[in-house]
Short mmCIF file of all heavy atoms in Angstrom, two decimals:
data_model
loop_
_atom_site.label_atom_id
_atom_site.label_comp_id
_atom_site.label_asym_id
_atom_site.label_seq_id
_atom_site.Cartn_x
_atom_site.Cartn_y
_atom_site.Cartn_z
N ILE A 20 128.35 48.44 101.14
CA ILE A 20 127.32 49.45 101.34
C ILE A 20 126.89 49.51 102.79
O ILE A 20 126.73 50.58 103.37
CB ILE A 20 126.12 49.13 100.43
CG1 ILE A 20 126.57 49.40 99.02
CG2 ILE A 20 124.93 50.00 100.74
CD1 ILE A 20 126.40 48.42 98.06
N TYR A 23 129.41 51.33 104.64
CA TYR A 23 129.31 52.75 104.38
C TYR A 23 128.18 53.36 105.19
O TYR A 23 128.33 54.41 105.82
CB TYR A 23 129.08 52.95 102.88
CG TYR A 23 128.97 54.39 102.43
CD1 TYR A 23 130.11 55.13 102.17
CD2 TYR A 23 127.73 54.98 102.26
CE1 TYR A 23 130.00 56.45 101.77
CE2 TYR A 23 127.61 56.28 101.85
CZ TYR A 23 128.75 57.03 101.59
OH TYR A 23 128.64 58.32 101.18
N TYR A 101 94.62 88.76 102.07
CA TYR A 101 93.80 89.87 101.58
C TYR A 101 92.59 90.08 102.49
O TYR A 101 92.17 91.22 102.72
CB TYR A 101 93.39 89.62 100.13
CG TYR A 101 94.58 89.71 99.21
CD1 TYR A 101 95.21 88.56 98.76
CD2 TYR A 101 95.11 90.94 98.85
CE1 TYR A 101 96.32 88.64 97.94
CE2 TYR A 101 96.21 91.03 98.05
CZ TYR A 101 96.83 89.87 97.60
OH TYR A 101 97.93 89.96 96.82
N ARG A 104 93.93 91.80 105.53
CA ARG A 104 94.24 93.20 105.26
C ARG A 104 92.95 94.02 105.21
O ARG A 104 92.88 95.12 105.76
CB ARG A 104 95.00 93.33 103.95
CG ARG A 104 95.75 94.65 103.86
CD ARG A 104 96.50 94.76 102.58
NE ARG A 104 95.58 94.73 101.44
CZ ARG A 104 95.99 94.81 100.17
NH1 ARG A 104 97.27 94.88 99.91
NH2 ARG A 104 95.12 94.79 99.19
N VAL A 141 92.42 67.82 88.42
CA VAL A 141 93.14 68.08 87.18
C VAL A 141 94.39 67.21 87.06
O VAL A 141 94.61 66.57 86.04
CB VAL A 141 93.54 69.58 87.09
CG1 VAL A 141 94.41 69.83 85.88
CG2 VAL A 141 92.30 70.44 87.06
N LEU A 146 95.34 60.18 86.38
CA LEU A 146 96.55 59.35 86.41
C LEU A 146 96.47 58.26 87.47
O LEU A 146 97.49 57.72 87.88
CB LEU A 146 97.77 60.24 86.70
CG LEU A 146 98.00 61.33 85.68
CD1 LEU A 146 99.13 62.22 86.11
CD2 LEU A 146 98.32 60.72 84.33
N ARG A 151 103.88 54.54 88.93
CA ARG A 151 104.09 55.37 90.11
C ARG A 151 104.70 56.73 89.87
O ARG A 151 104.30 57.71 90.49
CB ARG A 151 105.01 54.63 91.07
CG ARG A 151 104.31 53.84 92.10
CD ARG A 151 105.34 53.08 92.87
NE ARG A 151 105.72 53.79 94.08
CZ ARG A 151 105.00 53.77 95.19
NH1 ARG A 151 103.89 53.12 95.24
NH2 ARG A 151 105.41 54.39 96.27
N ILE A 156 105.40 63.11 89.00
CA ILE A 156 105.87 64.17 88.12
C ILE A 156 104.76 65.19 87.90
O ILE A 156 104.97 66.41 87.90
CB ILE A 156 106.37 63.58 86.79
CG1 ILE A 156 107.63 62.76 87.05
CG2 ILE A 156 106.65 64.66 85.78
CD1 ILE A 156 108.10 61.96 85.88
N SER A 157 103.55 64.68 87.73
CA SER A 157 102.41 65.58 87.57
C SER A 157 102.26 66.44 88.83
O SER A 157 101.94 67.64 88.74
CB SER A 157 101.16 64.75 87.32
OG SER A 157 100.04 65.54 87.27
N GLY A 160 104.70 69.15 88.80
CA GLY A 160 104.21 70.18 87.89
C GLY A 160 103.15 71.03 88.55
O GLY A 160 103.19 72.26 88.48
N PHE A 163 104.71 73.61 90.99
CA PHE A 163 105.30 74.81 90.41
C PHE A 163 104.26 75.65 89.70
O PHE A 163 104.35 76.87 89.69
CB PHE A 163 106.47 74.44 89.50
CG PHE A 163 107.67 74.10 90.31
CD1 PHE A 163 107.89 72.82 90.77
CD2 PHE A 163 108.55 75.09 90.69
CE1 PHE A 163 108.95 72.52 91.57
CE2 PHE A 163 109.62 74.80 91.50
CZ PHE A 163 109.82 73.51 91.94
N PHE A 164 103.25 75.00 89.16
CA PHE A 164 102.19 75.75 88.54
C PHE A 164 101.50 76.64 89.57
O PHE A 164 101.29 77.83 89.33
CB PHE A 164 101.18 74.80 87.90
CG PHE A 164 100.06 75.50 87.18
CD1 PHE A 164 100.26 75.98 85.90
CD2 PHE A 164 98.84 75.69 87.79
CE1 PHE A 164 99.25 76.65 85.25
CE2 PHE A 164 97.83 76.35 87.13
CZ PHE A 164 98.03 76.83 85.86
N TYR A 167 103.78 79.63 90.66
CA TYR A 167 103.94 80.72 89.71
C TYR A 167 102.61 81.32 89.29
O TYR A 167 102.57 82.47 88.86
CB TYR A 167 104.82 80.27 88.55
CG TYR A 167 106.25 80.26 89.02
CD1 TYR A 167 106.77 79.18 89.72
CD2 TYR A 167 107.04 81.38 88.87
CE1 TYR A 167 108.04 79.20 90.24
CE2 TYR A 167 108.32 81.41 89.37
CZ TYR A 167 108.82 80.32 90.05
OH TYR A 167 110.08 80.37 90.56
N ALA A 168 101.52 80.57 89.46
CA ALA A 168 100.22 81.19 89.25
C ALA A 168 100.00 82.24 90.33
O ALA A 168 99.57 83.38 90.04
CB ALA A 168 99.12 80.14 89.29
N LEU A 172 99.43 86.18 89.93
CA LEU A 172 98.20 86.84 90.36
C LEU A 172 98.47 87.85 91.47
O LEU A 172 97.97 88.98 91.43
CB LEU A 172 97.19 85.79 90.86
CG LEU A 172 96.58 84.88 89.80
CD1 LEU A 172 95.71 83.82 90.45
CD2 LEU A 172 95.76 85.68 88.81
N TYR A 173 99.22 87.43 92.49
CA TYR A 173 99.35 88.27 93.68
C TYR A 173 100.66 89.05 93.73
O TYR A 173 100.88 89.82 94.65
CB TYR A 173 99.25 87.41 94.96
CG TYR A 173 97.93 86.68 95.13
CD1 TYR A 173 97.85 85.57 95.96
CD2 TYR A 173 96.78 87.10 94.49
CE1 TYR A 173 96.66 84.90 96.13
CE2 TYR A 173 95.59 86.42 94.65
CZ TYR A 173 95.53 85.32 95.46
OH TYR A 173 94.37 84.66 95.64
N GLY A 174 101.54 88.77 92.82
CA GLY A 174 102.81 89.50 92.84
C GLY A 174 103.92 88.70 93.46
O GLY A 174 103.68 87.70 94.13
N TYR A 281 109.45 74.88 101.41
CA TYR A 281 110.16 74.23 102.51
C TYR A 281 109.21 73.61 103.53
O TYR A 281 109.41 72.43 103.89
CB TYR A 281 111.11 75.22 103.18
CG TYR A 281 112.47 75.30 102.53
CD1 TYR A 281 112.66 74.72 101.29
CD2 TYR A 281 113.54 75.91 103.15
CE1 TYR A 281 113.91 74.78 100.67
CE2 TYR A 281 114.79 75.98 102.54
CZ TYR A 281 114.96 75.41 101.31
OH TYR A 281 116.19 75.46 100.71
N ILE A 284 108.11 70.26 102.20
CA ILE A 284 109.06 69.16 102.29
C ILE A 284 109.23 68.74 103.75
O ILE A 284 109.32 67.53 104.06
CB ILE A 284 110.42 69.58 101.71
CG1 ILE A 284 110.24 69.98 100.26
CG2 ILE A 284 111.39 68.43 101.79
CD1 ILE A 284 111.47 70.60 99.69
N ILE A 295 104.22 57.01 107.73
CA ILE A 295 103.27 57.61 106.82
C ILE A 295 101.98 56.78 106.76
O ILE A 295 102.00 55.57 106.92
CB ILE A 295 103.90 57.81 105.41
CG1 ILE A 295 103.13 58.87 104.64
CG2 ILE A 295 103.96 56.51 104.64
CD1 ILE A 295 103.96 59.60 103.65
N GLN A 330 121.60 79.62 110.52
CA GLN A 330 121.44 79.57 109.07
C GLN A 330 121.24 78.15 108.59
O GLN A 330 120.69 77.93 107.52
CB GLN A 330 122.71 80.11 108.40
CG GLN A 330 122.77 81.59 108.31
CD GLN A 330 124.03 82.00 107.58
OE1 GLN A 330 124.97 81.22 107.44
NE2 GLN A 330 124.05 83.22 107.13
N VAL A 334 119.08 72.93 106.98
CA VAL A 334 119.96 71.80 106.68
C VAL A 334 119.71 70.66 107.67
O VAL A 334 119.61 69.49 107.27
CB VAL A 334 121.44 72.23 106.70
CG1 VAL A 334 122.34 71.03 106.57
CG2 VAL A 334 121.71 73.21 105.59
N ILE A 345 116.53 56.99 104.55
CA ILE A 345 117.53 55.94 104.38
C ILE A 345 117.36 54.87 105.46
O ILE A 345 117.32 53.68 105.16
CB ILE A 345 118.96 56.52 104.46
CG1 ILE A 345 119.21 57.46 103.29
CG2 ILE A 345 119.99 55.41 104.47
CD1 ILE A 345 120.52 58.21 103.41
N PHE B 23 92.47 83.27 82.98
CA PHE B 23 93.60 83.04 83.88
C PHE B 23 94.88 83.63 83.32
O PHE B 23 95.58 84.39 84.01
CB PHE B 23 93.76 81.54 84.11
CG PHE B 23 94.94 81.18 84.95
CD1 PHE B 23 94.90 81.36 86.32
CD2 PHE B 23 96.08 80.67 84.37
CE1 PHE B 23 95.99 81.03 87.09
CE2 PHE B 23 97.18 80.35 85.14
CZ PHE B 23 97.13 80.52 86.50
N ALA B 102 93.35 95.57 93.98
CA ALA B 102 93.85 95.48 95.35
C ALA B 102 94.39 94.10 95.64
O ALA B 102 95.24 93.92 96.52
CB ALA B 102 92.73 95.82 96.32
N MET B 103 93.90 93.11 94.94
CA MET B 103 94.31 91.75 95.21
C MET B 103 95.14 91.19 94.06
O MET B 103 96.20 90.61 94.27
CB MET B 103 93.06 90.90 95.41
CG MET B 103 93.34 89.52 95.88
SD MET B 103 91.79 88.85 96.52
CE MET B 103 92.17 87.13 96.51
N ILE B 104 94.65 91.40 92.86
CA ILE B 104 95.30 90.75 91.73
C ILE B 104 96.14 91.79 90.98
O ILE B 104 95.62 92.75 90.42
CB ILE B 104 94.26 90.10 90.83
CG1 ILE B 104 93.68 88.91 91.60
CG2 ILE B 104 94.85 89.64 89.52
CD1 ILE B 104 92.51 88.29 90.96
N VAL B 105 97.44 91.56 91.05
CA VAL B 105 98.37 92.55 90.52
C VAL B 105 98.17 92.77 89.03
O VAL B 105 98.32 93.88 88.53
CB VAL B 105 99.81 92.07 90.77
CG1 VAL B 105 100.79 93.15 90.41
CG2 VAL B 105 99.98 91.65 92.21
N LEU B 330 129.21 58.83 95.81
CA LEU B 330 128.99 59.04 97.25
C LEU B 330 127.55 59.40 97.56
O LEU B 330 126.99 59.00 98.57
CB LEU B 330 129.91 60.16 97.76
CG LEU B 330 131.38 59.78 97.80
CD1 LEU B 330 132.19 60.94 98.36
CD2 LEU B 330 131.59 58.54 98.63
N PRO B 334 124.33 56.08 99.84
CA PRO B 334 123.36 55.97 100.94
C PRO B 334 121.92 55.79 100.47
O PRO B 334 121.11 55.25 101.22
CB PRO B 334 123.52 57.29 101.70
CG PRO B 334 124.19 58.20 100.76
CD PRO B 334 125.01 57.37 99.86
N ASP B 341 109.05 57.13 94.72
CA ASP B 341 108.81 58.53 95.03
C ASP B 341 109.61 58.99 96.25
O ASP B 341 109.97 60.16 96.33
CB ASP B 341 107.32 58.81 95.22
CG ASP B 341 106.60 57.66 95.84
OD1 ASP B 341 107.29 56.77 96.40
OD2 ASP B 341 105.37 57.63 95.81
N TYR B 342 109.91 58.09 97.16
CA TYR B 342 110.76 58.48 98.30
C TYR B 342 112.13 58.92 97.80
O TYR B 342 112.73 59.85 98.32
CB TYR B 342 110.94 57.30 99.26
CG TYR B 342 109.85 57.15 100.28
CD1 TYR B 342 108.61 57.71 100.08
CD2 TYR B 342 110.07 56.44 101.46
CE1 TYR B 342 107.61 57.57 101.01
CE2 TYR B 342 109.07 56.29 102.40
CZ TYR B 342 107.84 56.86 102.18
OH TYR B 342 106.86 56.71 103.10
N LEU B 348 115.93 65.47 96.40
CA LEU B 348 115.62 66.88 96.59
C LEU B 348 116.27 67.39 97.87
O LEU B 348 116.89 68.48 97.89
CB LEU B 348 114.10 67.06 96.66
CG LEU B 348 113.60 68.47 96.95
CD1 LEU B 348 113.96 69.39 95.82
CD2 LEU B 348 112.11 68.47 97.16
N GLU B 352 119.14 70.37 98.21
CA GLU B 352 118.96 71.57 99.02
C GLU B 352 120.03 71.66 100.11
O GLU B 352 120.50 72.75 100.42
CB GLU B 352 117.57 71.55 99.66
CG GLU B 352 116.47 71.93 98.70
CD GLU B 352 116.65 73.32 98.13
OE1 GLU B 352 116.52 74.29 98.86
OE2 GLU B 352 116.94 73.42 96.92
N ARG B 355 123.04 73.18 98.52
CA ARG B 355 122.88 74.61 98.23
C ARG B 355 122.95 75.43 99.51
O ARG B 355 123.62 76.46 99.58
CB ARG B 355 121.54 74.85 97.54
CG ARG B 355 121.40 76.25 96.97
CD ARG B 355 120.07 76.41 96.28
NE ARG B 355 118.96 76.35 97.24
CZ ARG B 355 118.49 77.41 97.87
NH1 ARG B 355 119.00 78.58 97.63
NH2 ARG B 355 117.51 77.28 98.73
N LEU B 356 122.25 74.95 100.56
CA LEU B 356 122.23 75.73 101.80
C LEU B 356 123.61 75.78 102.44
O LEU B 356 124.00 76.79 103.01
CB LEU B 356 121.23 75.12 102.78
CG LEU B 356 119.75 75.29 102.39
CD1 LEU B 356 118.86 74.42 103.23
CD2 LEU B 356 119.36 76.75 102.55
N ASP B 361 127.28 80.96 106.02
CA ASP B 361 128.49 81.64 106.47
C ASP B 361 129.55 80.66 106.91
O ASP B 361 130.73 80.97 106.93
CB ASP B 361 128.14 82.56 107.66
CG ASP B 361 127.43 83.80 107.18
OD1 ASP B 361 127.48 84.06 105.96
OD2 ASP B 361 126.83 84.50 108.01
N VAL B 437 123.07 47.25 92.49
CA VAL B 437 123.88 48.22 93.23
C VAL B 437 124.84 48.92 92.28
O VAL B 437 124.89 50.16 92.19
CB VAL B 437 124.65 47.52 94.36
CG1 VAL B 437 125.67 48.46 94.95
CG2 VAL B 437 123.69 47.05 95.43
N LEU B 473 114.96 75.07 91.01
CA LEU B 473 114.29 75.37 89.75
C LEU B 473 115.06 74.83 88.56
O LEU B 473 114.46 74.46 87.56
CB LEU B 473 114.11 76.90 89.61
CG LEU B 473 113.16 77.51 90.62
CD1 LEU B 473 113.11 79.01 90.47
CD2 LEU B 473 111.78 76.93 90.46
N ILE B 476 114.15 71.34 88.13
CA ILE B 476 112.80 71.21 87.56
C ILE B 476 112.83 71.52 86.07
O ILE B 476 112.18 70.85 85.26
CB ILE B 476 111.84 72.18 88.29
CG1 ILE B 476 111.75 71.83 89.76
CG2 ILE B 476 110.45 72.15 87.66
CD1 ILE B 476 111.25 70.45 90.04
N ILE B 483 111.12 65.50 80.00
CA ILE B 483 109.78 64.93 79.90
C ILE B 483 109.08 65.40 78.63
O ILE B 483 108.39 64.64 77.97
CB ILE B 483 108.98 65.27 81.16
CG1 ILE B 483 109.41 64.26 82.21
CG2 ILE B 483 107.50 65.20 80.93
CD1 ILE B 483 109.01 64.57 83.56
N PHE B 515 108.12 79.11 84.70
CA PHE B 515 107.84 77.96 85.55
C PHE B 515 106.34 77.71 85.66
O PHE B 515 105.93 76.59 85.91
CB PHE B 515 108.50 78.14 86.92
CG PHE B 515 109.96 77.97 86.82
CD1 PHE B 515 110.79 79.05 86.70
CD2 PHE B 515 110.52 76.70 86.77
CE1 PHE B 515 112.16 78.89 86.56
CE2 PHE B 515 111.87 76.54 86.61
CZ PHE B 515 112.69 77.63 86.51
N LEU B 516 105.57 78.73 85.40
CA LEU B 516 104.13 78.51 85.27
C LEU B 516 103.87 77.54 84.12
O LEU B 516 103.14 76.56 84.24
CB LEU B 516 103.44 79.85 85.01
CG LEU B 516 101.92 79.81 84.94
CD1 LEU B 516 101.36 79.64 86.34
CD2 LEU B 516 101.38 81.07 84.32
N GLY B 519 105.26 74.00 84.84
CA GLY B 519 104.34 73.25 85.71
C GLY B 519 103.19 72.69 84.90
O GLY B 519 102.87 71.50 84.98
N MET B 523 102.23 68.66 83.95
CA MET B 523 100.93 68.00 84.17
C MET B 523 100.33 67.53 82.87
O MET B 523 99.89 66.38 82.75
CB MET B 523 99.97 69.00 84.85
CG MET B 523 100.28 69.25 86.29
SD MET B 523 98.97 70.15 87.09
CE MET B 523 99.25 71.80 86.54
N MET B 526 102.06 64.55 81.33
CA MET B 526 101.80 63.31 82.04
C MET B 526 100.40 62.78 81.71
O MET B 526 100.18 61.59 81.60
CB MET B 526 101.91 63.52 83.55
CG MET B 526 103.33 63.62 84.04
SD MET B 526 104.27 62.14 83.71
CE MET B 526 105.33 62.66 82.43
N ILE B 527 99.45 63.71 81.53
CA ILE B 527 98.07 63.27 81.31
C ILE B 527 97.87 62.85 79.85
O ILE B 527 97.30 61.81 79.57
CB ILE B 527 97.09 64.38 81.71
CG1 ILE B 527 97.17 64.59 83.22
CG2 ILE B 527 95.67 64.01 81.32
CD1 ILE B 527 96.51 65.86 83.69
#
Side-chain angles (χ1 to χ4, degrees):
Chain A
I20 290 128
Y23 180 84
Y101 292 100
R104 200 179 62 180
V141 174
L146 300 174
R151 266 175 95 80
I156 292 171
S157 176
F163 283 87
F164 182 81
Y167 283 83
L172 290 175
Y173 299 159
Y281 274 13
I284 301 171
I295 202 152
Q330 277 182 343
V334 173
I345 295 172
Chain B
F23 176 76
M103 188 163 162
I104 291 171
V105 188
L330 290 182
D341 35 15
Y342 275 21
L348 176 65
E352 283 300 291
R355 190 179 67 89
L356 290 168
D361 285 345
V437 169
L473 293 177
I476 298 300
I483 279 167
F515 288 97
L516 184 74
M523 286 191 282
M526 284 299 108
I527 294 166

